[in-house]
Amino acid sequence: MLNLTPLILLFPLIGFVLLGLFGKRLPKALISLIGCGVVLLAFACAVADFVSMLGVSGAAQSSNITIFNWVTSGGLTIDFTLLSDPLSAVMLLIVTGVGFLIHVYSIGYMADDDGYWRFFSFLNLFIFAMTLLVAAGNFLFLLVGWAGVGLASFLLIGYWYTRPSAVAAARKAFVVNVIGDFGLMLAIFLLFKTFGTLNYSELLYNSQRWCPRGLECSFDQAARLAGFAGQSTMLAIALLLLVAAVAKSAQLPLHVWLPDAMEGPTPVSALIHAATMVTAGVYLVARAHSIFQAAPASLAVVAVIGGASALFAATIACVQTDIKRVLAYSTMSQLAYMFMGEAAGGFSGGIFHLTTHAYFKALLFMAAGAVIHALAGEQDMRKMGGLRHKLPLTFWCFVVGGLALAAVFPFDGFWSKDTILSSVLERATTSGDFGWYVLYAAGILTAALTGFYTFRLIFAVFLGEYRGPEIVPHGAEHAASAPASRPNGRNAARRDPLARVREVGAAMAVPMLILAALSIIGGFYDTPIKPWLNEFLVPSTGPAVELPNGSGLFWFSIVLSLAAALLGIGIAWARYGSRQPRFAPSRNPFVILLEHRYYVDDLYDRAIVRPIVALGRWLRRDVEGVALDGGTRGVGGLIGGASKGLRALQTGYVRNYALAIFTGAVLIVLYYVIRP
């Protein structure tokens, strides 16, 4: 089989370097060609790698390439190794494929931006960092890619650096993700201290190295690791890895950076929320599944975080009025579904939902970007409405993405979400643990809320009457004073505030149409009839935990989840679709709680941010200003005073020196007389 992972990393890196060094002097057409072309080449290599695995089974599906030796010190040897296996192949397809479509979409969306070359350079850097994270063959280079993704996200979220809100959002994302980076570093230190290696092949996949006394082992890798290191050590490693996953995938309690990341351009939101950064945590748990299975208590923690995050984010999304923030909280909720599936043992199910989510969430962000672009940067749903006939393509793309997000049959989200709920219900029935039934109920309730907030957004934006001011198209500051092309055109523009609203161009429309098609058919590669993706991922993630096909519980779960989604859509229609939507402030205490996002940000601000800022100010003022600077000045003053006194003794008169010598001699004699 092939292993083209070095080329998959190399192409976006070349694009980043070329555009970063020379992009300012290049024409936009060449910038677009380089920025999109390198990602397309990486995608072609990812497809070739993936195809080469088809028809191959077992260990033959995994291949390592060592590029060079990174460090050798004592017993530590770390090579720059790239791994190609079913899990990395699927992830690389999503990262480069959806990433390429987002690059193409950016050609139209960022056409008028002065930093066009810089934007595409940062996008290429992001793709390179994410592909390194996915293709790394050991935990050290996973960390390098992990940190690189954090850096690239900082640059892209704060791309419009003249906006204070964008700079604050980028800083917030960077700081929160550094917490996860620290957890990952501690996990890596503990892994090396315990096992003496960081290689996936030795730690995660059927290595006989950890068998007691070198004997042949019949049990699985998780049992080998637990038997060698002990349950407590494996639990500590798993929980530290989970800290990293929770921060990167914006789960409770490290979720606060994700909504603010909407300050970046919409293509950045699509890239971060759909195919790359936030999926890294889900990938990490799936990749390190042997470690988590070696400490079952860690999977219970994953389940609790997943269930709580799913409901938390879904309820907040129900009251948001910013079109991109609704989708941001939706991303958090859908990632929580993936963690729920992995917690139940359905690691391949979590990756399946990751792939389908990449299609429909990228589509939804692109469609939201088309609306924002058409409305000259407006993101407030309260100032929208009546756009269905003005933006028909965007409307139908939004509907397709919304049906997939709400998990309505036969769209792709239906198959992947039901796979996750099936895993949770199977775990509940086999274990008899009431907690798994609670988790399943949380998943069903979240499905209903997802249907509600998704179609609340669609109905409020596209149906009813327009509620905003007259639109001046993007980049047309003088359009309001320009004469219309037809008689009475100016009067028509005054009567219709949407008269100048136009559908997006081909550069933005084509990626949306491709993703819409994938959102319809993208779930058919892992249906209950033929779970092809699950079978393909078995060498990397192990067999999935699912309800038996055709059983009563199987059909019960499918019907219940679909009914919940349709119920949520029906409620959204009754409140926002069948009549003119109203967004009047509510006095309902629960709604107010949701509007303030459960006051988590306020709690963090008062309990963490303000005390740290106050401590910093005190250290700067009292410790640095008074103690350190004052002490330094005091020592200098003391030495200066002493030298000034000594200078007074140097008079140049012999009689003064003789008197001083005589006085000293008298004092010495008196000392020995008084105290012989």
Side-chain angles (χ1 to χ4, degrees):
M1 58 165 282
L2 296 174
N3 188 339
L4 300 178
T5 47
L7 292 178
I8 298 173
L9 270 67
L10 181 62
F11 287 130
L13 180 60
I14 290 174
F16 163 65
V17 173
L18 287 178
L19 295 178
L21 293 177
F22 311 110
K24 194 172 184 178
R25 296 185 291 273
L26 298 178
K28 282 189 176 181
L30 186 55
I31 294 172
S32 304
L33 179 62
I34 295 173
C36 298
V38 293
V39 182
L40 179 60
L41 291 173
F43 176 64
C45 293
V47 171
D49 254 6
F50 176 78
V51 171
S52 71
M53 294 183 189
L54 302 179
V56 180
S57 60
Q61 287 182 305
S62 179
S63 170
N64 282 287
I65 289 183
T66 299
I67 308 300
F68 56 84
N69 176 259
W70 179 265
V71 63
T72 299
S73 177
L76 172 64
T77 300
I78 298 178
D79 297 323
F80 180 24
T81 302
L82 300 176
L83 170 66
S84 178
D85 72 340
L87 178 57
S88 65
V90 170
M91 289 294 298
L92 288 173
L93 280 177
I94 296 299
V95 170
T96 57
V98 178
F100 169 69
L101 295 177
I102 294 171
H103 276 67
V104 174
Y105 177 88
S106 300
I107 294 175
Y109 194 90
M110 303 297 292
D112 299 326
D113 193 88
D114 294 334
Y116 191 79
W117 63 274
R118 182 167 54 91
F119 183 77
F120 274 91
S121 177
F122 291 167
L123 285 184
N124 284 173
L125 174 63
F126 202 114
I127 295 296
F128 164 73
M130 190 67 192
T131 52
L132 175 60
L133 186 157
V134 169
N138 56 58
F139 280 100
L140 178 63
F141 284 95
L142 168 75
L143 176 62
V144 175
W146 196 272
V149 167
L151 171 62
S153 67
F154 171 79
L155 296 173
L156 286 170
I157 294 170
Y159 172 75
W160 284 320
Y161 56 86
T162 56
R163 299 181 182 178
S165 58
V167 174
R171 186 168 58 240
K172 188 175 185 179
F174 190 80
V175 170
V176 174
N177 277 279
V178 164
I179 297 173
D181 297 349
F182 186 65
L184 182 57
M185 285 190 290
L186 292 179
I188 290 173
F189 293 151
L190 192 52
L191 278 169
F192 180 74
K193 180 179 182 299
T194 305
F195 298 101
T197 182
L198 298 176
N199 294 329
Y200 293 161
S201 57
E202 296 180 79
L203 287 171
L204 305 178
Y205 299 109
N206 297 322
S207 172
Q208 298 290 323
R209 180 175 175 179
W210 317 115
C211 296
R213 300 176 184 175
L215 300 177
E216 189 71 20
C217 298
S218 59
F219 42 86
D220 61 19
Q221 183 70 1
R224 294 189 190 103
L225 295 177
F228 182 87
Q231 284 282 340
S232 58
T233 300
M234 295 310 300
L235 178 61
I237 294 172
L239 291 180
L240 288 171
L241 291 176
L242 182 59
V243 170
V246 164
K248 197 68 78 179
S249 293
Q251 300 293 284
L252 287 172
L254 300 177
H255 66 285
V256 291
W257 67 269
L258 192 66
D260 292 344
M262 297 299 98
E263 291 292 337
T266 299
V268 173
S269 304
L271 189 64
I272 290 177
H273 286 247
T276 54
M277 180 173 175
V278 295
T279 61
V282 178
Y283 164 79
L284 176 61
V285 175
R287 174 63 76 191
H289 68 281
S290 297
I291 293 175
F292 283 90
Q293 289 173 327
S298 65
L299 288 176
V301 177
V302 175
V304 171
I305 291 175
S309 298
L311 275 175
F312 176 90
T315 52
I316 294 177
C318 292
V319 301
Q320 292 296 302
T321 55
D322 185 301
I323 187 173
K324 287 173 65 175
R325 283 182 179 260
V326 174
L327 298 178
Y329 280 107
S330 168
T331 296
M332 178 181 171
S333 183
Q334 296 303 305
L335 291 166
Y337 265 115
M338 301 173 204
F339 281 111
M340 288 165 58
E342 292 179 328
F347 296 98
S348 62
I351 297 300
F352 180 30
H353 195 51
L354 184 154
T355 64
T356 60
H357 177 264
Y359 306 146
F360 62 72
K361 188 52 63 68
L363 172 62
L364 287 169
F365 269 111
M366 287 182 182
V371 172
I372 296 168
H373 197 268
L375 299 184
E378 183 59 68
Q379 296 184 199
D380 193 337
M381 292 161 49
R382 294 170 294 186
K383 299 178 182 179
M384 299 181 185
L387 297 177
R388 176 182 176 183
H389 299 294
K390 293 292 184 179
L391 305 173
L393 174 65
T394 301
F395 168 70
W396 287 112
C397 287
F398 233 122
V399 170
V400 170
L403 290 170
L405 173 58
V408 174
F409 177 85
F411 296 87
D412 63 350
F414 168 80
W415 304 105
S416 57
K417 187 177 287 187
D418 274 357
T419 298
I420 289 173
L421 293 175
S422 174
S423 298
V424 175
L425 187 56
E426 170 66 12
R427 185 66 183 272
T429 55
T430 55
S431 68
D433 191 335
F434 180 72
W436 291 106
Y437 286 104
V438 173
L439 186 65
Y440 180 78
I444 294 296
L445 179 56
T446 302
L449 294 172
T450 302
F452 172 77
Y453 68 67
T454 302
F455 279 84
R456 168 183 177 266
L457 185 155
I458 293 173
F459 296 149
V461 170
F462 292 98
L463 302 187
E465 297 178 0
Y466 180 66
R467 300 177 294 276
E470 182 179 350
I471 297 302
V472 177
H474 232 35
E477 292 80 6
H478 305 292
S481 60
S485 59
R486 295 183 301 174
N488 300 322
R490 187 178 299 174
N491 294 331
R494 287 191 185 126
R495 288 195 301 269
D496 181 7
L498 298 176
R500 297 187 179 92
V501 171
R502 297 291 183 268
E503 189 61 88
V504 296
M508 296 170 66
V510 171
M512 290 165 59
L513 290 172
I514 294 173
L515 288 168
L518 289 172
S519 298
I520 297 172
I521 66 173
F524 289 106
Y525 50 71
D526 200 83
T527 66
I529 299 173
K530 180 58 178 175
W532 179 86
L533 183 64
N534 174 36
E535 295 171 356
F536 179 73
L537 289 174
V538 164
S540 298
T541 61
V545 176
E546 292 180 352
L547 292 169
N549 288 347
S551 65
L553 280 177
F554 171 81
W555 290 111
F556 168 80
S557 180
I558 288 180
V559 171
L560 183 60
S561 62
L562 182 58
L566 294 176
L567 175 63
I569 295 173
I571 296 174
W573 169 258
R575 290 183 58 86
Y576 297 93
S578 62
R579 57 186 180 183
Q580 179 71 359
R582 297 182 61 187
F583 293 92
S586 174
R587 295 183 179 180
N588 187 314
F590 184 61
V591 174
I592 295 173
L593 179 67
L594 296 180
E595 289 174 343
H596 288 84
R597 296 168 289 183
Y598 292 96
Y599 294 96
V600 172
D601 288 76
D602 302 84
L603 175 63
Y604 286 177
D605 182 60
R606 296 185 180 184
I608 299 176
V609 176
R610 293 185 186 182
I612 290 177
V613 171
L615 176 63
R617 288 173 177 168
W618 175 78
L619 291 173
R620 179 176 57 84
R621 184 184 64 250
D622 295 335
V623 176
E624 182 180 354
V626 177
L628 297 180
D629 289 350
T632 303
R633 288 192 295 268
V635 171
L638 178 63
I639 294 175
S643 63
K644 185 177 180 181
L646 292 174
R647 282 199 306 271
L649 298 177
Q650 304 296 320
T651 62
Y653 295 108
V654 175
R655 61 179 179 271
N656 292 345
Y657 298 152
L659 177 62
I661 294 171
F662 176 75
T663 303
V666 170
L667 292 174
I668 293 173
V669 171
L670 287 175
Y671 173 80
Y672 283 105
V673 169
I674 297 172
R675 186 177 180 182

